[in-house]
Amino acid sequence: MITQVANPILEIHDLTVSYDQSPVLWNVDLSLPPGQLIGVLGPNGAGKSTLIKSVMGLVPPTSGHILIFGKELNSVRSKISYVPQRESVDWNFPASVLDVVLMGTYGKLGLFKRPGKKEKELSMECLEKVGMQAFFNRQISELSGGQQQRVFIARALAQEADLYLMDEPFAGVDMATETAIFQLLKEMTQEGKTIVVVHHDIHSAMNYFDWLIMLNLHLVASGPKNEVATEELLRKTYGGKLNLLSKVSELIRQTDFNPLKS
Amino acid sequence: MMSFDPNAFLIISTASLIAISCGLLGVFMMLRKMSMTGDAISHAVLPGIVIGFFISGSQRGLEVIIGAGILGILATLMIDWFRKKAKVQLDASIGITFTLLFAIGIILINVLAYKVDLDQECVLYGEIAYLPIDLWITGSGMNLGPRITWLAVLNLILVLGFIVSLFKELSLTSFDEGFSLVIGLPAGAINLALMSMVSYTTVSSFEAVGAILVVALLVVPPATAFLWTKKLIPLIKITAGLGVIISIIGYYFAYWLDSSIAGMMVSVSGVIFLASAILKSKKPNFKFGTKIADKPFSI
Ligand SMILES: Nc1ncnc2c1ncn2[C@@H]1O[C@H](COP(=O)(O)OP(=O)(O)OP(=O)(O)O)[C@@H](O)[C@H]1O
Ligand SMILES: [Mg+2]
């Protein structure tokens, strides 16, 4: 079930990506509407990170092409923001929380220029939005996993982009913080920003996202949440994972979850 | 009190300049987990030095520095290629690259022996003790002082200029290369620029401390400093300070035992590292219990 939109903010055409000759993403073809909170669902190894990385130009596609705001990636880099999976960096790096958030402003600064007062104020505001302002001077090696994740979200906010791609930004983040940040992301979409989030918790996914992408090597679904959040498509996405399946059906039995009733 | 010895002062200050240059670059090599790439580069520049020598007919020609620089970059590219394209592990690709290039250098020295009167001892181990008598005499016969000191000053100025102007790029690419690519900073070019600076610093210093002992100055002071601080700026400052301390102690120990100055500097840095590691591992953690509680927040 794939819904294509007119005037998409991101369009992916016939994308196939392989590592060492074996494809991990097959023929993904989708387009995303602007101003929405978009969730990417799928089991481990489904190719969610690979999808995000190929949009960001970090892995070369075997075939297919991607347009962002109708343009090639290189001409719109300053309008896209990225939260990588936390494990992608070594948190023993000698930097303070503020240093890392400041990195979000480097793209707009360009080569050689140093971040100044303006960039620091912006970074502090972004830290405040994720509730980490008290830690601005703390070394990142002294943070908990969830706090590190929040620093990464703040760094993405400091990019002041129009399209945000976040790879599991809530891994290890506590419920209260997750709710607050989802609220913040919602407000950002109301200002016209588009936010794509890889997310593992199906329950909260049903609560927050406007649009869902379901992935399992192939694209299973992409469309408005109300249309694609069906037991059948979720089964197709998570197929074979017995544990999950029973959990999914249990969730679907819950009335507040049933998308057809909302 | 010891009387002022101008030769000792010259040797110590030159050694300090070299140790600071190496340490500053070494900090970023360490943060990129590439300390051993510095090792590879310092060996791999040998064929470049020999070829440069062959072309210019002198150990001091600009060709020698250029040759070494090219070989340093070549070594970096080879290591990268083995790792990314041939999927060889990083340590294995480093081992293959530098032994191969170093061996080529040794064969070149033998083959070109009639033309290249290269002092292998000097290339590998350096001889900083002769520095005060190796003077830079201009064409018109003016004596400008010790040549190697001038090289070290120039080297440090360039290294400082490099790090100051690209500080934010160097730290970002060291921390999160993917992110720097995403925001359009040329991570590959910055990495190559850093490797070029390491190659250049290696050649510029090899007459004083030798191409092999240079590695110790790239690796040990930053590793020692990292035991003492977790902040980047203090890390850089402590590394530079260690360079000076190592030079002073190394010189006087070598003088006292009548041994190689460069060898003693490296031994001293090793001892300082060991002492730091022992001290740090025994230090009780007084911070325990004083952390600020992390509260969930609401907007
Ligand atoms: N660098 C790589 N080299 C080779 N194979 C890779 C590489 N990265 C990922 N893969 C493979 O590609 C597939 C998709 O990986 P990907 O990281 O995109 O999954 P994911 O959906 O993000 O999973 P997770 O939920 O665990 O983060 C996996 O089967 C994985 O083994
Ligand atoms: Mg992933």
Coordinates of all heavy atoms in Angstrom, one line a residue, chain B residues 29 34 37 40-41 44 69-83 97 101 188 191-196 198-199:
Chain B
M29 N 45.4 12.6 15.5 CA 45.6 11.2 15.1 C 45.0 10.3 16.1 O 44.3 9.3 15.7 CB 47.1 10.9 14.9 CG 47.8 11.8 13.9 SD 47.3 11.4 12.2 CE 48.3 10.0 11.9
M34 N 43.9 6.8 14.8 CA 44.8 6.6 13.7 C 46.3 6.7 14.1 O 47.1 7.0 13.2 CB 44.5 7.6 12.6 CG 43.2 7.4 11.9 SD 42.9 8.6 10.6 CE 43.9 8.0 9.3
T37 N 48.6 4.9 12.1 CA 48.8 5.4 10.7 C 50.0 6.3 10.7 O 50.7 6.4 9.7 CB 47.5 6.1 10.2 OG1 46.4 5.2 10.4 CG2 47.6 6.5 8.8
A40 N 52.9 4.2 10.4 CA 53.1 3.7 9.0 C 53.7 4.8 8.1 O 54.6 4.6 7.3 CB 51.7 3.3 8.4
I41 N 53.2 6.1 8.3 CA 53.7 7.2 7.5 C 55.2 7.4 7.7 O 55.9 7.5 6.8 CB 52.9 8.4 7.8 CG1 51.5 8.3 7.2 CG2 53.6 9.7 7.2 CD1 50.6 9.5 7.5
A44 N 56.9 4.8 5.8 CA 56.6 4.8 4.4 C 57.3 6.0 3.7 O 57.5 5.9 2.5 CB 55.1 4.9 4.2
G69 N 56.5 13.7 1.4 CA 55.1 14.1 1.5 C 54.2 13.3 0.6 O 53.2 12.8 1.0
I70 N 54.7 13.1 -0.7 CA 53.9 12.3 -1.6 C 53.8 10.8 -1.1 O 52.7 10.2 -1.1 CB 54.6 12.3 -3.0 CG1 54.5 13.7 -3.6 CG2 54.0 11.3 -4.0 CD1 55.3 13.9 -4.9
L71 N 54.9 10.3 -0.6 CA 54.9 8.9 -0.1 C 53.9 8.8 1.1 O 53.2 7.8 1.2 CB 56.3 8.4 0.2 CG 56.9 7.5 -0.8 CD1 56.3 6.2 -0.9 CD2 56.9 8.2 -2.2
G72 N 53.9 9.8 1.9 CA 53.1 9.8 3.1 C 51.6 9.7 2.7 O 50.8 9.0 3.2
I73 N 51.2 10.6 1.7 CA 49.9 10.6 1.2 C 49.6 9.2 0.5 O 48.5 8.6 0.7 CB 49.7 11.7 0.2 CG1 49.8 13.0 1.0 CG2 48.3 11.6 -0.5 CD1 49.7 14.3 0.1
L74 N 50.5 8.7 -0.2 CA 50.4 7.4 -0.9 C 50.1 6.3 0.2 O 49.2 5.5 0.0 CB 51.6 7.1 -1.7 CG 51.5 5.7 -2.4 CD1 50.5 5.8 -3.6 CD2 52.9 5.3 -3.0
A75 N 50.8 6.4 1.2 CA 50.6 5.4 2.3 C 49.2 5.5 2.9 O 48.5 4.5 3.0 CB 51.7 5.6 3.4
T76 N 48.8 6.7 3.1 CA 47.4 6.9 3.6 C 46.4 6.4 2.7 O 45.4 5.7 3.1 CB 47.1 8.4 3.8 OG1 48.3 9.0 4.4 CG2 45.9 8.6 4.7
L77 N 46.6 6.7 1.4 CA 45.6 6.2 0.4 C 45.6 4.7 0.3 O 44.6 4.0 0.2 CB 45.9 6.8 -1.0 CG 45.7 8.3 -1.1 CD1 46.1 8.8 -2.4 CD2 44.2 8.7 -0.8
M78 N 46.8 4.1 0.4 CA 46.9 2.6 0.3 C 46.2 2.0 1.5 O 45.4 1.0 1.3 CB 48.4 2.2 0.3 CG 49.0 2.1 -1.1 SD 50.8 1.8 -0.9 CE 50.8 0.0 -0.5
I79 N 46.4 2.5 2.7 CA 45.8 1.9 3.9 C 44.3 2.0 3.7 O 43.6 1.0 4.0 CB 46.3 2.7 5.1 CG1 47.7 2.4 5.4 CG2 45.4 2.3 6.3 CD1 48.3 3.3 6.5
D80 N 43.8 3.2 3.3 CA 42.4 3.4 3.1 C 41.8 2.4 2.0 O 40.7 1.9 2.2 CB 42.1 4.8 2.6 CG 41.2 5.5 3.5 OD1 41.3 5.3 4.7 OD2 40.4 6.3 3.0
W81 N 42.6 2.2 1.0 CA 42.1 1.4 -0.1 C 42.0 -0.1 0.3 O 41.0 -0.7 0.1 CB 43.0 1.5 -1.3 CG 42.5 0.9 -2.5 CD1 41.6 1.4 -3.5 CD2 42.8 -0.5 -3.0 NE1 41.3 0.5 -4.4 CE2 42.0 -0.7 -4.2 CE3 43.6 -1.5 -2.5 CZ2 42.1 -1.9 -4.9 CZ3 43.6 -2.7 -3.2 CH2 42.9 -2.9 -4.4
F82 N 43.1 -0.5 1.0 CA 43.1 -1.9 1.5 C 41.9 -2.1 2.4 O 41.2 -3.2 2.4 CB 44.3 -2.2 2.3 CG 45.5 -2.5 1.4 CD1 46.8 -2.0 1.8 CD2 45.4 -3.2 0.2 CE1 47.9 -2.3 1.0 CE2 46.5 -3.4 -0.5 CZ 47.8 -3.0 -0.1
R83 N 41.6 -1.1 3.3 CA 40.6 -1.3 4.3 C 39.2 -1.2 3.6 O 38.4 -2.1 3.9 CB 40.7 -0.2 5.3 CG 40.0 -0.4 6.6 CD 40.5 0.5 7.7 NE 40.3 1.9 7.3 CZ 39.3 2.6 7.7 NH1 38.4 2.0 8.5 NH2 39.1 3.8 7.4
T97 N 51.1 -2.0 4.4 CA 51.5 -0.8 3.7 C 52.9 -0.3 4.1 O 53.8 -0.1 3.2 CB 50.5 0.3 3.9 OG1 49.2 -0.1 3.6 CG2 50.9 1.6 3.2
L101 N 56.4 -0.3 1.8 CA 57.1 0.9 1.4 C 58.5 1.0 2.0 O 59.4 1.5 1.3 CB 56.2 2.1 1.7 CG 54.9 2.1 0.9 CD1 54.0 3.3 1.3 CD2 55.2 2.3 -0.6
G188 N 37.1 13.8 3.6 CA 38.2 13.1 3.0 C 39.4 14.0 2.8 O 40.6 13.7 3.1
N191 N 41.1 14.9 6.0 CA 41.9 13.7 6.5 C 43.2 13.7 5.7 O 44.3 13.6 6.3 CB 41.1 12.4 6.3 CG 41.8 11.3 6.9 OD1 42.3 11.4 8.0 ND2 41.8 10.1 6.3
L192 N 43.2 13.9 4.4 CA 44.4 13.9 3.6 C 45.3 15.0 4.0 O 46.5 14.9 4.1 CB 44.1 13.9 2.1 CG 43.9 12.6 1.4 CD1 43.7 12.8 -0.1 CD2 45.1 11.6 1.7
A193 N 44.7 16.2 4.3 CA 45.5 17.3 4.7 C 46.3 17.0 6.0 O 47.5 17.3 6.1 CB 44.6 18.6 4.8
L194 N 45.6 16.4 6.9 CA 46.2 16.0 8.2 C 47.3 15.1 7.9 O 48.4 15.2 8.5 CB 45.2 15.5 9.1 CG 45.7 15.0 10.5 CD1 46.3 16.1 11.3 CD2 44.6 14.3 11.3
M195 N 47.1 14.1 7.1 CA 48.1 13.1 6.8 C 49.3 13.7 6.1 O 50.5 13.4 6.4 CB 47.6 11.9 5.9 CG 46.5 11.1 6.6 SD 47.0 10.6 8.2 CE 45.5 10.8 9.1
S196 N 49.1 14.7 5.3 CA 50.2 15.4 4.6 C 51.0 16.2 5.6 O 52.2 16.2 5.6 CB 49.7 16.4 3.6 OG 48.7 15.8 2.8
V198 N 51.3 15.4 8.7 CA 52.1 14.4 9.5 C 53.4 13.9 8.7 O 54.5 13.9 9.2 CB 51.2 13.2 9.8 CG1 52.1 12.0 10.4 CG2 50.2 13.6 10.8
S199 N 53.2 13.7 7.4 CA 54.3 13.3 6.5 C 55.4 14.4 6.5 O 56.6 14.1 6.7 CB 53.9 13.1 5.1 OG 52.7 12.3 5.0

